[in-house]
Amino acid sequence: MDILVAMIKDTALIFEGGGMRASYTAGVVVTLLEEGIEFSDVYGISAGSSHTANYISKDIWRAKASFVDFFAGRGVAGWGEFLKGKGYFNSEYIYELACAPDEKIPFDFDTFAKNPAQMHIEAYEADTDRTVYWTKDDMPTMPDLMRRVRACSTMPFFMPPIEIDGQLCFDGGIGDGWGIPLAQAKRDGYKKFFIVRTQKRDYRKAGDKHETLLKIIFKKHKNVARRMLDRYEHYNAILDGIDRLEARGEAYVFCPREMIVKSTTLKLPLLEESYRLGYEQARSELSAWRDFL
């Protein structure tokens, strides 16, 4: 029986980024939608921004397809697309074209716009060295939304940056949220959090071993290289903070029990299995979710 009949306003829903690891946490999005669990404020970075948009549009099919079925087709991702200059993930097609009504993963913008839930996503501006934050107020049309989701998801090196409001934007994972937009939710006044991670509980990020190569690749964007090199320290500090929130009962943290894909995995059988594992784990934790919420 669905005992959550009102929109949840005292807890922020937060989606971590992680590229194709989001195939696992797509099972969380689907379970939340199947059970009618609605949050008033949803935060996402990188792949988490796609989860956020799909969740607010209440599209169960698209929540899975965006990270599984969609990648069975050609022209979506891979080194062939990279060599064409479109990026390892063909971001223009994935975010701005495939969402059209007659395309592969049409987006229900009408439901998205009518849903009173607020969307919070963020990207990194390379030239200003600042993080930019967007809500639904910045997205009155589907092109406005999808260009910003694309900007939030633009993995350095793997995808070409995109210009928004005159600024060149990269993945929010190198912005001040460092991959998990907890800080913004705190600034918005939240003290209770439902956090969906894309790494196992004991994961901590190691420092990048390719400092010289990064500085060469991003010689025109030195801020990007610096933040990529610094990210591991900030990211690990956020995880330590999340552990403390969880210990105090102020956060519910969904962590994959296992992770069989990488951020760049494109093999459909692996993505399907990743989704299955995430969905089964989400269903198994449902009663604990309800207790927390």
Side-chain angles (χ1 to χ4, degrees):
M1 181 176 67
D2 188 356
I3 61 173
L4 294 171
V5 295
M7 182 168 279
I8 298 163
K9 297 182 178 181
D10 69 340
T11 305
L13 174 58
I14 297 174
F15 289 110
E16 180 180 8
M20 300 312 294
R21 290 194 300 273
S23 57
Y24 195 103
T25 49
V28 176
V29 182
V30 169
T31 299
L32 290 171
L33 292 173
E34 287 178 339
E35 296 300 316
I37 302 174
E38 299 188 31
F39 292 79
S40 62
D41 283 277
V42 191
Y43 298 76
I45 285 180
S46 196
S49 65
S50 291
H51 277 343
T52 299
N54 290 331
Y55 172 79
I56 293 177
S57 71
K58 301 184 179 183
D59 194 329
I60 290 174
W61 174 82
R62 195 178 196 275
K64 173 179 180 271
S66 293
F67 291 98
V68 183
D69 313 80
F70 182 44
F71 288 88
R74 298 180 64 181
V76 179
W79 292 116
E81 297 303 301
F82 182 87
L83 293 174
K84 294 175 186 176
K86 297 179 180 180
Y88 182 85
F89 295 100
N90 184 348
S91 53
E92 181 182 17
Y93 177 63
I94 291 170
Y95 297 102
E96 298 190 62
L97 301 178
C99 60
D102 57 347
E103 266 288 355
K104 290 185 65 174
I105 47 171
F107 185 80
D108 185 352
F109 186 80
D110 186 55
T111 298
F112 172 86
K114 289 179 179 178
N115 189 336
Q118 182 58 278
M119 179 177 190
H120 305 262
I121 58 177
E122 52 195 80
Y124 175 70
E125 292 182 350
D127 295 330
T128 64
D129 190 28
R130 74 183 184 102
T131 303
V132 59
Y133 304 92
W134 294 307
T135 67
K136 285 172 74 174
D137 295 338
D138 302 296
M139 310 165 194
T141 69
M142 186 155 71
D144 291 322
L145 165 66
M146 289 304 175
R147 282 183 64 81
R148 283 163 176 77
V149 172
R150 175 183 171 184
C152 296
S153 308
T154 298
M155 297 165 62
F157 176 73
F158 288 101
M159 299 154 80
I162 180 175
E163 188 175 295
I164 304 286
D165 298 330
Q167 296 296 330
L168 207 59
C169 293
F170 285 84
D171 196 304
I174 59 170
D176 292 343
W178 302 106
I180 305 175
L182 176 63
Q184 184 60 36
K186 287 183 175 180
R187 285 192 290 269
D188 289 339
Y190 278 100
K191 300 183 183 302
K192 189 177 177 184
F193 313 92
F194 189 100
I195 302 170
V196 182
R197 293 194 49 212
T198 55
Q199 295 281 14
K200 294 171 64 175
R201 183 171 296 276
D202 60 354
Y203 174 82
R204 290 297 185 273
K205 188 176 290 295
D208 200 299
K209 300 177 181 179
H210 307 291
E211 179 175 352
T212 301
L213 181 59
L214 281 175
K215 288 181 176 179
I216 293 172
I217 293 172
F218 296 103
K219 61 182 178 181
K220 293 183 179 179
H221 303 294
K222 292 182 173 59
N223 290 330
V224 174
R226 173 178 53 81
R227 293 186 75 93
M228 290 179 72
L229 291 168
D230 291 346
R231 187 186 174 211
Y232 78 100
E233 293 181 316
H234 297 282
Y235 178 81
N236 292 342
I238 290 173
L239 296 186
D240 292 341
I242 288 174
D243 286 347
R244 291 190 292 271
L245 288 171
E246 188 177 30
R248 296 197 298 265
E250 297 169 11
Y252 186 98
V253 186
F254 178 94
C255 291
R257 292 173 184 154
E258 55 183 308
M259 181 50 61
I260 64 172
V261 300
K262 299 178 180 179
S263 62
T264 55
T265 296
L266 297 176
K267 293 181 179 179
L268 185 59
L270 280 176
L271 296 175
E272 289 175 332
E273 178 65 5
S274 175
Y275 171 79
R276 184 189 68 80
L277 291 170
Y279 181 75
E280 289 182 355
Q281 181 180 339
R283 299 302 305 185
S284 73
E285 293 187 18
L286 184 58
S287 61
W289 295 2
R290 295 191 182 281
D291 290 342
F292 176 77
L293 296 171

